[in-house]
Amino acid sequence: MLHLYTNHDSPNGYKIVIALEELQADYQIHHINLSRGENHKAEFLALNPHGRVPVIKDDINNVILFESAAILLYLADKYQHFANFSAIEKAQSLQWMIYHSASVGPIIGQYFHFAVTENGENKSATTRFSNLMYAAFKVIDEHLAHNDYFVAGKFSIADIAHFGWFYSMQEYNLSFAHYVNIRRWFNSLLTRDAVQQSFTNMKNACAQ
Ligand SMILES: N[C@@H](CCC(=O)N[C@@H](CS)C(=O)NCC(=O)O)C(=O)O
């Protein structure tokens, strides 16, 4: 069995549950309640010493992994996600996934912290992360103006990586509506059965 440890509204956790559904994996979700500090308990730190979700434990291969990009890559290999991709297309998918991990997800997270959690009180930090976030969105929007998906007209883990954070932005009422190409891409992913199923599974598993 493959176990996913995540919080009910983790953008990084959404990525993994979507990938598991898209890849038709057999898995079980375990809720790690961040607001109750369950990620700092010894039991969880044994899975990820950095105390962050998501984490997976794959009993079949006897492996524990943290960091959403590493998990996506592991799942892609395990379920032959790149079978119909050329070596170059696979490299391009990894490029966009790593771009997300370095220059998009953490920046949205910092922007959210300074702009929303701290009400923009630190003007310098709010402006810095707002500029970085919107600069990244511009790059993505221009790329998606000519592409239905991030790579080669094919849905890939690069789309999943970005979608998790855009979905959370929507939940936080942070608008990206004026990025019309991101919005079009986002809406098309929302209609995928696996994406909808993943929200249901996450909600059910994390209800308690
Ligand atoms: N780079 C990590 C980030 C993981 C991360 O920051 N997870 C958040 C939830 S989305 C978390 O566990 N936060 C708990 C905390 O900061 O105490 C990844 O992509 O998995």
Side-chain angles (χ1 to χ4, degrees), residues 7 9-13 15 34 39-40 50-54 66-69 71 101 106 165:
N7 184 49
D9 66 352
S10 158
N12 295 306
K15 300 173 191 175
L34 297 181
N39 53 321
H40 299 301
H50 195 45
R52 303 282 195 281
V53 295
F66 53 87
E67 285 296 329
S68 57
I71 298 170
S101 300
W165 268 101

Side-chain angles (χ1 to χ4, degrees), residues 67-137:
E67 285 296 329
S68 57
I71 298 170
L72 288 176
L73 190 52
Y74 171 78
L75 294 176
D77 278 343
K78 179 171 166 128
Y79 294 97
Q80 279 133 36
H81 169 64
F82 286 118
N84 296 324
F85 286 65
S86 69
I88 290 173
E89 289 167 350
K90 178 178 173 183
Q92 289 169 332
S93 181
L94 299 188
Q95 167 201 272
W96 282 110
M97 187 178 71
I98 292 166
Y99 175 72
H100 170 84
S101 300
S103 303
V104 184
I107 302 297
I108 301 174
Q110 294 299 325
Y111 172 75
F112 182 80
H113 174 82
F114 287 110
V116 181
T117 313
E118 293 196 348
N119 290 317
E121 280 162 25
N122 183 331
K123 289 200 176 11
S124 167
T126 306
T127 304
R128 173 172 167 75
F129 287 108
S130 166
N131 288 344
L132 287 171
M133 183 177 78
Y134 290 122
F137 287 3

